[in-house]
Amino acid sequence: MPLTPLDIHNKEFSRSFRGYDEDQVNEFLDQVIKDYEALIRENKDLQNQTMALQERLDHFTHIEESLSKTIIVAQEAADEVRSNSKKEAQLILKEAEKNADRIINESLTRSRKVALEIEELKKQASIYRTRFRTLLEAQLELLNTEGWQSMQFEHKEE
């Protein structure tokens, strides 16, 4: 068990013939007590500082661990967002390609239908022209016949 300043102060030595000077021994012990008390105080202060520094170190270690975990979580979240964005972009691209193919196919179908309708209209116009020409030629022939010229209209007077 370590000595205390009180132990040093209360220590008594036996007297002997031709011993040490009692005053010198007492002065020296007083000096030892003062130095010992100063060392104890300094040791206590250093222990308190060490504890305070250890608490701060623990605090900063905790902050560092939290930051490391936060960085890891943020990195994982960023990776997940990046991955999801790529997947979403691929889905959007595939959907756009499908829509483009559908639009092209619909346009081709509509174009073919319009082309068929145009051909049908051309045929109908040709038939109409032929019928109309035939009708006009028949009417002209009728006008050119002698029976038409010999027709007389009777005019009645009242």
Side-chain angles (χ1 to χ4, degrees), residues 101-119 121:
D101 288 343
R102 181 184 51 79
I103 290 169
I104 289 170
N105 288 334
E106 287 175 1
S107 296
L108 288 173
T109 302
R110 179 75 178 135
S111 174
R112 289 182 191 120
K113 186 177 177 183
V114 167
L116 290 173
E117 288 176 0
I118 289 172
E119 288 301 316
L121 288 173

Side-chain angles (χ1 to χ4, degrees), residues 36-158:
Y36 195 67
E37 285 176 341
L39 286 174
I40 289 174
R41 276 193 303 275
E42 183 180 352
N43 190 17
K44 187 69 172 172
D45 289 344
L46 289 174
Q47 285 177 350
N48 289 338
Q49 286 178 3
T50 302
M51 285 176 33
L53 290 173
Q54 186 62 47
E55 286 177 7
R56 288 186 70 193
L57 179 62
D58 292 345
H59 175 72
F60 286 122
T61 301
H62 177 71
I63 289 174
E64 180 185 20
E65 289 172 0
S66 295
L67 287 174
S68 293
K69 288 177 184 176
T70 302
I71 289 170
I72 290 170
V73 168
Q75 183 64 42
E76 289 172 352
D79 291 344
E80 186 175 338
V81 166
R82 188 178 307 117
S83 174
N84 288 342
S85 295
K86 283 182 182 178
K87 288 176 185 176
E88 188 174 340
Q90 288 172 347
L91 289 175
I92 289 170
L93 185 60
K94 285 181 182 179
E95 187 66 28
E97 288 172 350
K98 281 184 193 176
N99 285 339
D101 288 343
R102 181 184 51 79
I103 290 169
I104 289 170
N105 288 334
E106 287 175 1
S107 296
L108 288 173
T109 302
R110 179 75 178 135
S111 174
R112 289 182 191 120
K113 186 177 177 183
V114 167
L116 290 173
E117 288 176 0
I118 289 172
E119 288 301 316
E120 183 62 31
L121 288 173
K122 284 181 181 179
K123 286 178 188 175
Q124 289 179 4
S126 178
I127 291 170
Y128 176 75
R129 277 184 63 197
T130 303
R131 286 183 182 170
F132 191 64
R133 181 181 289 130
T134 304
L135 178 65
L136 284 177
E137 287 174 354
Q139 292 299 317
L140 279 174
E141 194 176 313
L142 182 62
L143 285 175
N144 288 333
T145 61
E146 286 185 25
W148 180 260
Q149 292 173 354
S150 63
M151 275 176 107
Q152 294 181 347
F153 288 100
E154 294 182 19
H155 185 64
K156 295 185 185 178
E157 292 184 23
E158 294 180 32

Side-chain angles (χ1 to χ4, degrees), residues 3-5 7-11 13 20-37 39:
L3 287 176
T4 65
D7 292 336
I8 296 171
H9 181 52
N10 291 335
K11 177 68 177 167
F13 297 94
Y20 291 107
D21 181 2
E22 188 177 335
D23 289 335
Q24 284 183 347
V25 169
N26 285 337
E27 270 182 42
F28 181 74
L29 287 176
D30 287 342
Q31 185 62 41
V32 169
I33 290 171
K34 284 181 189 176
D35 290 349
Y36 195 67
E37 285 176 341
L39 286 174

